[in-house]
Amino acid sequence: MKSFLQPILVSVLLLLVFGFGFPGLLWGVAQLLPQRAAGSPVVAGGRVVGFERIGQKFTQARYFWGRPSAVDYNAAITGASNAGPNNPDFHAVVRARLDTFLLQNPGVAKAQVPAEVVTASASGIDPDLSPAAAYVQVARVARARHLPAARVQQLVTQHIEQPWLGFMGPAHVSVLRLNLALDALR
Amino acid sequence: MNVLTALLLFGAAALLAWPTGRYLARVYAGERTWLHFLTPLERGFYRLAGLDPAQAMTLGQYVRALLAVNAVWLLWGLGILLVQHRLPFWNPDHIPAMELTQALHTAVSFLTSTNAQHYSGETGASYFAQLAVFTFLQFVSAGTSLAVGVAVVRALGRAEKLTTVGNFYQDLVRSCLLVLLPLSFVFSVGLLLTGVPMTFEGAGTYTSLEGVAGTVARGPVAAMLSIKELGSNGGGFFGPNCAHPFETPNFAAFVLHHLLVMLLPMAFVFMVGFYLKRMRLALLIFGVMTAGLFLLLVPAVLAELHGNPVLSALGIDAGAGNLEGKEIRFGVFHTAYYNALNMAIPAGTLVGAQDSFTSLTGAPFMLLMQIDAFFGGLGTGFLNFFIYLIIAAFVASLMVGRSPELLGKKIEAPEMQAATLVAVAQPVVVLACTALAAWVWATTPSAATTLKWLPNPGAHGFSAMLYEFVSAAAGNGSGYESLGDNTPFWNLVPGLAMLSGRFVPLLGALFIAARLQAKAYTEPGAGAIRLDSLTFGVLLLVVIGILGALLFFPALTLGPLAEYFGGK
């Protein structure tokens, strides 16, 4: 009888420690960092306009746009396109994205378009752009906002986050932060 | 800079693994460690559970205890997933119950430390299931792997003849309480600092700058992240796993993930050296594992950096490499590098979508999973390596005409039969299951039409099916996520591959070690094979190559290689 109950008793104790105790302990620690524990919401003008690291959809010409998303930036069901590299449907989608982008950004040459603005991210809510992908949108944003291009260009440069510790990982620009700064210009 | 960063991170993991390996050796030898303040916790656990940790078990008793607790965990997991919608707390987003075959797949998947997920964390699992089932199973399944790994090492270290292999409960409790708990806590706090959420408040809402409302799934993410990597488990809190910005908000978090994935599999090798007092042998194993890993990792990274030729042909700026299914904050290099590490270590906590990698990378990725011994999973990676070690020692002994032995114990027919069975079982199961899937695909019209098994056509579709089974048998759990996998077929058949891939090597290696232990020790004479010599290291790599890769090569030619050369 004892040998029958032993595995159950051990499992119950392990469950108490690891299924409930450990998360509880960590939740307690997280209370010291309430902002981060809640996913770092960004507040502007008294309302939550997004989350620090969660990409959101921008469609208006006056904002910088993030990368294409397989889930249309729905942060409740994230995911990638999972398109195979040789899938003809995927090629058609990329070509369509490129045509649209060139149409909406007159004056930009094909060779200036970084691959990331025609390919979908892994999470579907990639919050960042590479500096090149932000610079290529400067002319459009400046025109829509009646701002000198140099001013917008400067804003992008100011918002480039350099690699971690100066050399680890790529430099990138947070799209939400950049657009908030744009709105704050006037 | 990227190469430097990768080497630095790999070196840092090895540097951290050295003292961790020494700590492991002391824990399992029952010696005092600098975390001795946890010892009362361990003793209290034994008292509450009514256990006598000093009572040594025979092989049969050890295996029975292992299977019994695993059965309890399976029933617990399955039960909760079926009723998660009725539980009174920790389900603020009102997630419904899982369908039966999906619940079965998920419970087996977390029990076997595979963590393949045919649900999406945001919509398919309540916070209760995420913590009391998934996180719990991640701890205890990793504890089980570690326990058996240690039992095998302990058996190898014994010079005297002995028929007992130690106490399973003691090995399990020590692994969970003294190893996994403190490490998970420290790293989880680190992840909290980088911005990983830890909340029970349910999804967040926002109104975008353009005035559109949005919902953001969140949860007690930080509690799961460190153990899923430390234990080579890999189940993500969210569907895209570590690619999700809440799992890896920035590069600092990426660095922590990298250390977490590599730490214990590396430390286990050093532990073998400390415990057996054969550091030369441990360093040789470390060297062979590192060489094998990079031999397969480098081509994969290069292929990704080269990019997708179809996209380059559009005349755009494709210099950054293949960016479909990748995130900007990691870039192509680090995504490919980290994903490759997650093939060698069957955690499978990916930061990019495997499905969209260039056609050729599928080959080294699947080989790394299939071999599962270039570091490999926590505990289990070493067990697989141990099997290769026996076969290599046997081959080498025959070459020089001596009777085969390992660390002073004779290798005889039953041990060789068991080793061969374990080495062949995984490829046989994988290939048979893939053949079955291909046959069902070819003969069932609804697989293509209503069930949408393979959204990617041609050879890539075959790769998706093959990958699913390799990943299941290796306990990796990642997938070509285009596969329409939430169907009874894909929930049940890979479940069998997961069970055999888990328990055959685990119990097979333990059986061999227990038999070796029961034999008389003979001092190796002049001319015996030196296990810690470079020559043997090269032979070992060749044996792994032949056994792990050649069996598997025909299937690869139908998948990634056909796609690469055929261009579709």
Side-chain angles (χ1 to χ4, degrees):
Chain A
M1 194 60 205
K2 186 167 174 293
S3 67
F4 179 73
L5 284 177
Q6 194 81 78
I8 298 177
L9 194 54
V10 169
S11 302
V12 169
L13 287 171
L14 287 171
L15 176 66
L16 289 178
V17 176
F18 294 104
F20 297 96
F22 177 73
L25 182 68
L26 211 60
W27 181 79
V29 175
Q31 297 314 297
L32 303 172
L33 311 157
Q35 170 76 5
R36 274 175 267 201
S40 309
V42 178
V43 177
R47 63 190 173 100
V48 177
V49 294
F51 288 76
E52 195 71 57
R53 300 309 295 149
I54 301 295
Q56 55 178 260
K57 193 178 180 183
F58 290 100
T59 53
Q60 298 171 4
R62 51 204 291 274
Y63 285 118
F64 283 92
W65 303 332
R67 302 179 57 196
S69 160
V71 295
D72 203 23
Y73 281 100
N74 182 351
I77 41 158
T78 52
S81 71
N82 293 309
N86 295 308
N87 186 335
D89 297 344
F90 162 62
H91 300 158
V93 169
V94 169
R95 272 195 295 272
R97 282 181 192 141
L98 179 59
D99 292 343
T100 314
F101 188 84
L102 291 173
L103 208 65
Q104 289 167 328
N105 292 271
V108 171
K110 239 187 201 180
Q112 289 174 293
V113 178
E116 70 190 79
V117 306
V118 293
T119 50
S121 60
S123 64
I125 47 172
D126 191 340
D128 301 310
L129 285 175
S130 70
Y135 283 132
V136 79
Q137 302 183 40
V138 162
R140 182 197 78 233
V141 173
R143 212 174 305 125
R145 288 183 177 256
H146 309 293
L147 285 168
R151 182 76 191 85
V152 179
Q153 177 102 3
Q154 187 196 11
L155 202 66
V156 173
T157 309
Q158 283 167 357
H159 279 81
I160 295 176
E161 289 172 46
Q162 293 305 326
W164 193 53
L165 304 181
F167 69 100
M168 286 193 175
H172 55 270
V173 181
S174 159
V175 182
L176 179 61
R177 282 286 164 206
L178 180 59
N179 284 333
L180 278 168
L182 266 179
D183 278 351
L185 268 184
R186 53 187 112 169
Chain B
M1 273 308 158
N2 283 338
V3 177
L4 180 72
T5 303
L7 291 178
L8 214 64
L9 290 179
F10 195 84
L15 223 60
L16 211 58
W18 181 268
T20 312
R22 188 159 44 195
Y23 172 76
L24 289 177
R26 296 185 71 93
V27 164
Y28 293 111
E31 292 166 18
R32 189 184 158 94
T33 65
W34 58 277
L35 284 179
H36 61 268
F37 63 88
L38 286 172
T39 325
L41 195 65
E42 187 196 351
R43 279 206 212 102
F45 195 100
Y46 296 138
R47 199 170 317 124
L48 280 175
L51 283 171
D52 176 12
Q55 192 185 27
M57 295 174 169
T58 62
L59 176 66
Q61 288 169 326
Y62 198 98
V63 171
R64 268 197 297 280
L66 185 154
L67 293 179
V69 285
N70 273 270
V72 173
W73 300 339
L74 179 65
L75 292 176
W76 163 256
L78 182 63
I80 293 300
L81 294 177
L82 290 174
V83 300
Q84 62 173 351
H85 60 303
R86 287 170 184 255
L87 298 171
F89 63 103
W90 283 2
N91 190 9
D93 295 327
H94 305 290
I95 307 278
M98 276 192 190
E99 176 266 330
L100 180 64
T101 62
Q102 188 186 30
L104 200 60
H105 178 270
T106 308
V108 168
S109 165
F110 279 86
L111 179 79
T112 57
S113 187
T114 308
N115 292 203
Q117 298 167 292
H118 291 177
Y119 64 94
S120 201
E122 300 92 314
T123 53
S126 69
Y127 292 170
F128 190 95
Q130 295 265 26
L131 295 176
V133 178
F134 302 159
T135 307
F136 162 66
L137 285 180
Q138 286 172 335
F139 271 107
V140 293
S141 66
T144 305
S145 315
L146 202 45
V148 177
V150 165
V152 167
V153 175
R154 192 168 44 215
L156 291 180
R158 283 199 175 122
E160 75 271 27
K161 283 164 77 170
L162 212 61
T163 49
T164 55
V165 290
N167 186 299
F168 171 71
Y169 292 117
Q170 185 185 39
D171 290 343
L172 176 69
V173 170
R174 279 181 172 168
S175 303
C176 290
L177 284 183
L178 304 183
V179 178
L180 299 172
L181 181 64
L183 282 172
S184 299
F185 181 73
V186 171
F187 275 98
S188 279
V189 171
L191 286 166
L192 271 176
L193 288 170
T194 67
V196 174
M198 180 72 201
T199 176
F200 289 100
E201 277 168 36
T205 53
Y206 67 91
T207 312
S208 79
L209 296 186
E210 297 187 347
V212 181
T215 307
V216 178
R218 352 173 242 192
V221 188
M224 185 192 256
L225 285 205
S226 46
I227 185 59
K228 82 169 180 189
E229 285 160 352
L230 274 174
S232 312
N233 295 295
F237 196 94
F238 302 105
N241 216 314
C242 277
H244 194 291
F246 273 161
E247 297 207 14
T248 320
N250 44 40
F251 209 80
F254 176 88
V255 169
L256 287 178
H257 285 310
H258 182 293
L259 294 178
L260 278 164
V261 167
M262 297 306 294
L263 179 63
L264 284 180
M266 280 180 165
F268 197 94
V269 178
F270 292 136
M271 184 205 82
V272 173
F274 284 117
Y275 194 95
L276 299 181
K277 302 198 171 56
R278 287 176 185 270
M279 196 41 91
R280 265 186 67 107
L281 177 64
L283 290 176
L284 177 98
I285 294 177
F286 195 90
V288 170
M289 287 179 166
T290 309
L293 171 61
F294 279 91
L295 226 52
L296 289 167
L297 177 147
V298 171
V301 174
L302 289 178
E304 284 308 294
L305 287 174
H306 186 252
N308 185 342
V310 179
L311 263 60
S312 316
L314 290 175
I316 58 175
D317 174 13
N322 177 22
L323 270 160
E324 178 72 24
K326 296 193 178 61
E327 302 270 302
I328 294 301
R329 63 192 177 287
F330 316 126
V332 171
F333 179 93
H334 290 293
T335 306
Y337 167 66
Y338 182 80
N339 276 20
L341 291 183
N342 271 285
M343 297 293 105
I345 316 291
T349 56
L350 307 177
V351 294
Q354 290 294 83
D355 226 335
S356 300
F357 272 53
T358 50
S359 24
L360 207 51
T361 36
F365 277 3
M366 282 192 247
L367 280 177
L368 279 170
M369 278 199 283
Q370 175 69 21
I371 291 167
D372 197 10
F374 294 147
F375 295 106
L378 167 59
T380 55
F382 177 78
L383 296 183
N384 286 327
F385 197 89
F386 169 63
I387 299 291
Y388 291 125
L389 193 66
I390 288 192
I391 295 174
F394 181 79
V395 171
S397 303
L398 292 189
M399 280 171 155
V400 297
R402 296 183 60 93
S403 62
E405 53 103 26
L406 184 79
L407 304 176
K409 304 287 180 101
K410 276 204 161 33
I411 303 173
E412 288 164 307
E415 291 86 54
M416 272 315 290
Q417 282 160 355
T420 317
L421 184 78
V422 173
V424 174
Q426 193 172 322
V428 167
V429 169
V430 167
L431 296 177
C433 287
T434 310
L436 177 69
W439 178 76
V440 172
W441 165 257
T443 53
T444 319
S446 66
T449 50
T450 50
L451 296 176
K452 298 203 183 342
W453 273 19
L454 306 176
N456 290 310
H460 194 88
F462 177 79
S463 299
M465 298 198 287
L466 179 64
Y467 189 104
E468 182 74 11
F469 287 113
V470 179
S471 164
N476 187 295
S478 63
Y480 276 22
E481 294 301 332
S482 64
L483 183 72
D485 54 14
N486 189 21
T487 60
F489 179 89
W490 288 107
N491 281 334
L492 294 176
V493 184
L496 296 175
M498 287 194 276
L499 287 173
S500 78
R502 168 76 168 172
F503 290 104
V504 169
L506 220 55
L507 302 183
L510 190 61
F511 168 80
I512 296 170
R515 278 194 59 96
L516 288 180
Q517 179 189 250
K519 297 179 189 207
Y521 178 82
T522 41
E523 199 66 43
I529 299 291
R530 279 188 61 101
L531 292 187
D532 52 9
S533 65
L534 192 63
T535 326
F536 185 73
V538 174
L539 179 81
L540 197 52
L541 203 55
V542 171
V543 165
I544 295 175
I546 292 174
L547 278 177
L550 277 194
L551 277 169
F552 200 60
F553 211 72
L556 285 182
T557 50
L558 291 177
L561 299 183
E563 188 185 359
Y564 178 72
F565 290 110
K568 59 185 166 191

